[in-house]
Amino acid sequence: MLKVVLVSRDKDYIHAWLDYAQSSSAGSHMRFIAFSEWDAFSSYMLEQDEREIPDLLIAESEFLNPWLLDGGQDSGVSWLLLSEGQDEGHDTKRLMKYQPLPVLLEAVRNACRQPQSRRSSRSGRSTLSIAVVSASGGSGKTAVSLHLAKQLGLAGYSVLYLNLETMDSSFPFLEKGLLQSGKSLTEAETGLSRLLYDLKAHRREMNGGGIQVQRSEAGKEKKLGRVWAQGMNEDGGRSAGASSGSNEGTITTGKIKAVEEYVVRHEGLRSDVFWPLANRKEMLQMSKADTADLIRFLVGCGRYEVLILDGDSDWHERSEGVLETADTFVWLVRDDIAAMHRWGQWLQHAERTRPEMLGSVLERTYFVINEHREQVLNPLPRADLHVDAALPYIPSWKQMNQEEVMLSSPIFQREVKRLCGLLLQSEDQEHRNTGQFLSEEPWIL
């Protein structure tokens, strides 16, 4: 439910807006709180704690400007100037006061489609796990996951890419690099299978106890304390950050080896990867506990700063393990009727069957339009959802016959780099312009 504060001296104007919002289906997911006096408005805004701050403030200049000067600019609340056209400044955040009410409500929806602060469940850990998920197959999860891994690797982060799809689609893009890794073929091909077996054996030995992992030698030498929230600057390097993580190591007593024994280095991706499972049955049989144990082991091994999880679009135990364990989600959606419908169906099912899980996931999710063309044409399935970023449509990918083509698009790499910056920046730096995507430049193909 979107929470919108409306402030105007004109009480008749307020009543007209509220009456339409209450009777319109477009306003069914919005809750308006209106004021016509400064004292009541100012007191209300001061009383809002972090969990109750509005999604959007719409106010005339006589209310907006004093609020901005009194600390509103740094409050994290998105805002629009309700204008009759004579106000100075705030041109990019101006909402013309006298328009058809359906147009005004649509402007509210669009203004709320902006990058939002997201809470991570990392609890002080120095490894950030990012899961790329979607409610629809064919949304580009693997392409985006591989690009995220490559851009973060190029920026100097230690990255592991893990594909958790039932039917792996990454191998055609990884095959050459995997064969050039230098590991024996038998050892490389069986890495993920061996790790899953060792984790299950260890869990049986521990009788359901927590997974303890052997820290890698590389992990011991790294100082990862202030890494994951440092962010990326425009040239792909690191920028100053503001978050610290804990590196308290644990020691295994079971048969689990250091992570280097299971993974393969992929130089083209600038990341470590697992060779895809040859036996799909092993992936199909992964339980929620198996998936959670695998992710926790990889996070706790001390070798990686970022873990990229390439998720599945089906609802099964493996997906639930990802949803409950990953720190942050990149949720991909394509701008077409069917994809938006499936997105809405997924949310309805989750809200009906797992409401607590859904709330936790939404708090940690960045929604990203993939294959974006100039503007979003289809309405989002719920008014309280926001588009945080968009990735461009690349025509040359429609009929690929060389794996290098997918990982070498300068336009796509540029936008993925910006997405990486959004994912890695600290929360106190995450204030964005109202109603704008992360990208400020048009995509010219």
Side-chain angles (χ1 to χ4, degrees):
M1 180 72 70
L2 289 178
K3 182 179 177 181
V4 182
V5 174
L6 175 65
V7 194
S8 172
R9 283 288 183 198
D10 189 340
K11 293 182 180 180
D12 291 336
Y13 180 82
I14 289 175
H15 285 307
W17 189 311
L18 297 183
D19 289 344
Y20 179 78
Q22 290 175 357
S23 61
S24 168
S25 60
S28 60
H29 294 289
M30 302 180 190
R31 181 162 67 95
F32 284 87
I33 301 167
F35 299 92
S36 60
E37 300 292 338
W38 165 258
D39 290 341
F41 161 65
S42 177
S43 297
Y44 176 82
M45 295 300 288
L46 288 173
E47 291 170 359
Q48 305 310 297
D49 60 31
E50 184 180 353
R51 300 184 67 179
E52 291 293 330
I53 63 172
D55 294 285
L56 182 66
L57 166 65
I58 306 170
E60 293 171 347
S61 58
E62 65 174 293
F63 298 97
L64 180 65
N65 291 333
W67 175 76
L68 291 173
L69 291 173
D70 196 33
Q73 187 72 60
D74 300 319
S75 67
V77 177
S78 300
W79 54 267
L80 291 176
L81 169 64
L82 191 60
S83 172
E84 296 183 24
Q86 300 172 345
D87 307 279
E88 295 183 0
H90 307 314
D91 290 342
T92 61
K93 294 189 176 185
R94 182 176 297 181
L95 177 64
M96 298 309 296
K97 185 174 181 179
Y98 296 109
Q99 302 183 70
L101 286 165
V103 175
L104 290 171
L105 282 187
E106 183 60 24
V108 171
R109 285 173 56 96
N110 290 334
C112 290
R113 291 174 180 172
Q114 60 172 325
Q116 300 285 313
S117 291
R118 295 292 184 267
R119 189 175 71 190
S120 169
S121 66
R122 60 189 176 86
S123 301
R125 297 194 308 268
S126 59
T127 300
L128 175 67
S129 56
I130 303 171
V132 182
V133 298
S134 178
S136 304
S139 60
K141 294 188 302 297
T142 295
V144 173
S145 298
L146 293 174
H147 271 276
L148 285 172
K150 181 178 179 180
Q151 291 304 315
L152 290 168
L154 287 170
Y157 292 89
S158 55
V159 182
L160 174 65
Y161 166 79
L162 171 62
N163 188 293
L164 290 170
E165 296 176 294
T166 300
M167 300 302 295
D168 175 272
S169 55
S170 66
F171 189 70
F173 307 104
L174 299 178
E175 183 176 10
K176 285 185 179 179
L178 289 172
L179 294 173
Q180 296 169 359
S181 67
K183 274 196 172 184
S184 70
L185 196 58
T186 301
E187 184 181 4
E189 287 182 333
T190 60
L192 182 54
S193 181
R194 287 185 287 111
L195 177 55
L196 290 172
Y197 177 85
D198 290 347
L199 287 170
K200 287 182 179 180
H202 184 74
R203 189 166 69 242
R204 286 195 296 267
E205 289 178 7
M206 299 294 290
N207 294 320
I211 290 295
Q212 293 180 303
V213 299
Q214 177 179 332
R215 298 186 57 77
S216 67
E217 292 301 315
K220 290 179 182 177
E221 297 171 0
K222 279 186 169 290
K223 294 182 180 179
L224 306 180
R226 294 175 60 85
V227 171
W228 82 267
Q230 287 182 323
M232 297 174 63
N233 55 32
E234 284 299 313
D235 62 4
R238 300 187 189 186
S239 59
S243 182
S244 62
S246 171
N247 262 331
E248 296 298 325
T250 53
I251 302 173
T252 183
T253 57
K255 299 179 180 178
I256 306 175
K257 304 177 179 65
V259 70
E260 290 90 343
E261 298 294 323
Y262 305 103
V263 300
V264 179
R265 181 66 183 173
H266 194 288
E267 290 301 331
L269 202 62
R270 300 294 195 273
S271 306
D272 286 354
V273 302
F274 286 99
W275 195 293
L277 290 171
N279 184 358
R280 290 293 98 191
K281 189 176 180 180
E282 288 185 89
M283 189 66 75
L284 289 168
Q285 291 178 340
M286 281 184 67
S287 67
K288 182 167 69 174
D290 294 334
T291 307
D293 282 352
L294 175 62
I295 295 172
R296 291 185 187 119
F297 169 79
L298 297 173
V299 165
C301 71
R303 176 68 179 86
Y304 302 106
E305 295 163 328
V306 184
L307 171 62
I308 303 295
L309 303 169
D310 188 350
D312 212 345
S313 57
D314 293 331
W315 189 300
H316 41 52
E317 287 202 31
R318 193 175 348 113
S319 293
E320 289 198 22
V322 171
L323 292 173
E324 291 190 5
T325 312
D327 297 325
T328 302
F329 301 94
V330 173
W331 189 298
L332 296 181
V333 63
R334 295 173 62 237
D335 183 21
D336 64 55
I337 294 175
M340 292 293 183
H341 174 72
R342 285 192 290 269
W343 185 12
Q345 292 291 101
W346 192 99
L347 292 169
Q348 288 179 15
H349 176 70
E351 196 165 36
R352 186 173 59 253
T353 60
R354 300 287 302 281
E356 292 183 2
M357 182 272 290
L358 176 62
S360 173
V361 168
L362 291 179
E363 287 179 344
R364 295 177 277 148
T365 297
Y366 293 85
F367 291 108
V368 178
I369 298 290
N370 199 20
E371 300 184 14
H372 180 255
R373 297 173 173 88
E374 295 186 0
Q375 61 179 333
V376 178
L377 298 178
N378 293 280
L380 305 187
R382 286 176 21 172
D384 58 342
L385 298 174
H386 310 274
V387 173
D388 297 289
L391 298 172
Y393 170 68
I394 309 296
S396 61
W397 289 2
K398 296 304 289 184
Q399 286 185 303
M400 277 189 290
N401 59 359
Q402 295 180 338
E403 64 262 35
E404 293 88 354
V405 173
M406 196 270 283
L407 287 174
S408 60
S409 166
I411 298 171
F412 202 80
Q413 290 180 68
R414 180 191 68 196
E415 299 308 321
V416 169
K417 187 185 299 183
R418 291 177 175 176
L419 177 58
C420 289
L422 176 63
L423 295 169
L424 296 176
Q425 66 187 328
S426 58
E427 292 183 2
D428 62 334
Q429 296 173 323
E430 207 169 328
H431 300 312
R432 296 297 182 186
N433 292 333
T434 299
Q436 295 183 352
F437 287 126
L438 185 61
S439 172
E440 297 177 356
E441 305 173 40
W443 291 300
I444 303 173
L445 304 182

